[in-house]
Amino acid sequence: MAVDYAVIVVYLAGMLAMGWWGMRRAKSKSEFLVAGRRLGPWMYSGTMAAIVLGGASTIGGVGLGYQYGLSGAWMVFTIGLGLLALSIFFSARIARLKVYTVSEMLDLRYGGRAGLISGVVMWAYTLMLAVTSTIAYATIFDVLFDMNRTVAIILGGAIVVAYSTLGGMWSITLTDMVQFVVKTIGVLLLLLPIAVIKAGGFSEMKAKLPTEYFDPLGIGGETIFTYVLIYTFGMLIGQDIWQRVFTARTDRTARWGGTVAGTYCLVYALAGAVIGTAAKVMYPKLPSADSAFATIVKDELPVGVRGLVLAAALAAVMSTSSGALIACATVANNDIWSKLRGVVSRGRDDGHDEVKGNRVFILIMGVAVIVIAIALNNVVEALTVAYNLLVGGLLVPILGGLLWRRGTAAGALAAVAVGGVAVIGLMATYGILANEPVYYGLLASLAVYVIVSLATKPTDAAVLIAWRERLAGKGADSDETAPESVTV
């Protein structure tokens, strides 16, 4: 295992080095939070693919393939569909807004009265997303070093917190590009063909497994529909995803770069399902489907390759974890704390250092994420609560603001409140993992948004004019003059 250990150590050291390098570039709020809005198409595509394909997509995707066969690809497939929809239909407009958070967009659209409550919901979602990604370190480091769960979480979490705090989005972008390359080589080019060969090829796999393992809809129509509601729609409105859209140099970069990343996700989804199906042939009686990835890597891959594939799994977890962490800190600082602080210090300019302030918030949120990850046991329930709140509470007012001129601030606030309360109440009634909470919560949010918007005074014309100008790329203030573009 010495060679495998060396690969992992070099990889982790490289992540920290890039964090230090990124610190030299992050000299303004724009540079620190959205990489100066200067990413070219290839770097944008790689980093976007890296953040959406995390530990759940890699380890969990293989696990679903082990359990259901090729239809296990649907979870990651719906993530790719969501990214494609975001990129093709919305990303250009989002990029032209030149904001930092989803809540800022809501404030622009509805006249400055919807941001705080939506910020709290988005903060809870990004916090839980960061926590669940951090917990995944325990699985990977256990395979590598037989490490205690708490120590593994602290080690992996501390590295992500360190490079994210140092350089913000620049460090995260650079590390994500490395993680994208490592993931592509480790999972698609190495693990996928090796797993199929070790399982005897596709003909042997079909001979040894039930026919439902090769049914595209074998996982069940209701499950697929739920994945679409949670993951496809979640991709449309998550702060962690929007913050990457904000890094695009142009709206064209956001559209086409995101389309490439979404297509990559579809390929990655199928690869994970095939690897899991191959693992089912080789290890038909594993105690847990989620252990399929670690088992096939540990037992079937040669020295060195094993280290690279485990580095790929680590890369998947780190990219999602760091993206969720900076999103969580950005929302906490810009949408919640800054509003509370503005009430206290209204009318007083205290020379607040915005880069330093955002760096402090990443550190605080990072420590909180590590502590919660150590204390939390049920990852699936935590992530389900986060996605249910996100989709049930925020999907309607966000898409309504983008698509329906008659939507009002009162309608948006009512939709967030009713959708969020409905989701929480229904989870208490049906159970956290039930499908009904997100179904009915989303319908309640939509009904209230339409009814209240139609029953209240239309949004002020001046607000809508300013909104349309921002959608057209006019009137956005920059905190600095952007230097040369990064066109990679």
Side-chain angles (χ1 to χ4, degrees):
M1 292 288 288
V3 176
D4 296 326
Y5 292 162
V7 171
I8 299 298
V9 169
V10 169
Y11 169 76
L12 294 177
M15 297 301 98
L16 291 174
M18 289 185 182
W20 183 262
W21 187 88
M23 183 176 66
R24 299 169 57 192
R25 301 199 64 148
K27 301 299 184 183
S28 70
K29 179 180 178 180
S30 175
E31 293 285 346
F32 191 81
L33 293 182
V34 291
R37 309 186 195 277
R38 294 190 286 123
L39 298 191
W42 293 112
M43 185 172 282
Y44 177 88
S45 297
T47 58
M48 183 63 88
I51 188 176
V52 300
L53 296 173
S57 300
T58 303
I59 299 171
V62 172
L64 287 171
Y66 182 89
Q67 189 173 358
Y68 297 105
L70 297 185
S71 66
W74 272 107
M75 184 187 77
V76 183
F77 202 84
T78 55
I79 290 173
L81 291 178
L83 185 53
L84 284 171
L86 174 70
S87 302
I88 294 170
F89 299 113
F90 300 108
S91 64
R93 282 182 283 178
I94 293 170
R96 286 195 293 265
L97 289 173
K98 295 292 190 290
V99 295
Y100 292 99
T101 68
V102 175
S103 295
E104 285 184 43
M105 166 263 171
L106 291 173
D107 276 345
L108 278 172
R109 170 59 181 83
Y110 295 112
R113 291 179 289 165
L116 182 58
I117 186 171
S118 64
V120 172
V121 175
M122 190 65 75
W123 173 78
Y125 157 72
T126 53
L127 179 70
M128 284 298 100
L129 185 61
V131 166
T132 53
S133 300
T134 302
I135 291 174
Y137 297 129
T139 301
I140 299 169
F141 282 115
D142 178 58
V143 175
L144 280 170
F145 307 115
D146 193 23
M147 187 178 289
N148 174 270
R149 177 182 184 275
T150 299
V151 175
I153 289 173
I154 292 173
L155 176 61
I159 292 171
V160 169
V161 171
Y163 72 69
S164 300
T165 302
L166 285 171
M169 187 59 81
W170 265 123
S171 294
I172 293 171
T173 296
L174 294 170
T175 55
D176 276 0
M177 277 305 297
V178 174
Q179 289 158 358
F180 170 74
V181 172
V182 170
K183 238 180 331 195
T184 301
I185 295 172
V187 175
L188 296 185
L189 302 184
L190 293 177
L191 183 58
L192 175 61
I194 290 174
V196 172
I197 291 170
K198 292 280 187 177
F202 286 105
S203 58
E204 188 70 13
M205 290 161 62
K206 293 188 74 172
K208 290 188 175 180
L209 293 174
T211 55
E212 56 263 28
Y213 263 73
F214 302 92
D215 181 357
L217 304 178
I219 199 170
E222 184 178 357
T223 299
I224 295 171
F225 182 66
T226 302
Y227 284 159
V228 170
L229 277 184
I230 293 178
Y231 297 114
T232 301
F233 287 148
M235 288 296 106
L236 296 179
I237 59 175
Q239 169 67 25
D240 52 323
I241 309 302
W242 277 43
Q243 198 156 343
R244 294 311 175 96
V245 176
F246 301 150
T247 66
R249 188 179 72 232
T250 65
D251 53 9
R252 182 179 175 85
T253 295
R255 182 185 293 113
W256 292 109
T259 301
V260 171
T263 304
Y264 179 90
C265 291
L266 303 184
V267 175
Y268 200 88
L270 185 59
V274 171
I275 292 168
T277 305
K280 184 67 175 180
V281 173
M282 291 182 278
Y283 310 99
K285 295 184 179 180
L286 288 177
S288 168
D290 284 341
S291 65
F293 179 88
T295 302
I296 195 171
V297 169
K298 193 173 183 179
D299 293 350
E300 302 297 336
L301 298 185
V303 173
V305 173
R306 179 171 50 208
L308 184 59
V309 172
L310 286 172
L314 198 57
V317 175
M318 282 186 158
S319 56
T320 299
S321 181
S322 59
L325 176 59
I326 194 172
C328 177
T330 302
V331 170
N333 188 17
N334 291 269
D335 294 335
I336 301 174
W337 175 244
S338 66
K339 286 183 170 60
L340 299 175
R341 182 175 171 273
V343 171
V344 175
S345 60
R346 184 176 296 163
R348 185 174 78 241
D349 182 6
D350 57 4
H352 181 55
D353 184 341
E354 290 189 284
V355 173
K356 181 179 179 181
N358 282 291
R359 186 172 279 135
V360 168
F361 264 86
I362 290 180
L363 181 59
I364 293 171
M365 291 297 106
V367 172
V369 163
I370 292 171
V371 171
I372 296 171
I374 292 171
L376 196 64
N377 288 320
N378 199 318
V379 181
V380 175
E381 289 190 0
L383 193 59
T384 301
V385 170
Y387 267 104
N388 282 353
L389 280 173
L390 177 71
V391 174
L394 291 182
L395 178 68
V396 169
I398 291 172
L399 293 188
L402 289 169
L403 300 173
W404 191 38
R405 179 176 178 175
R406 188 59 180 81
T408 66
L413 289 170
V416 174
V418 171
V421 170
V423 163
I424 293 172
L426 290 166
M427 283 191 292
T429 302
Y430 288 98
I432 289 177
L433 299 180
N435 294 325
E436 287 83 358
V438 72
Y439 295 167
Y440 300 140
L442 190 56
L443 288 174
S445 179
L446 177 60
V448 168
Y449 179 73
V450 173
I451 292 170
V452 174
S453 291
L454 292 175
T456 53
K457 184 180 178 180
T459 303
D460 186 83
V463 172
L464 289 177
I465 290 172
W467 166 251
R468 286 195 295 271
E469 287 181 350
R470 291 293 286 268
L471 281 178
K474 303 174 183 177
D477 296 325
S478 176
D479 61 349
E480 67 171 32
T481 301
E484 75 282 357
S485 297
V486 176
T487 57
V488 176

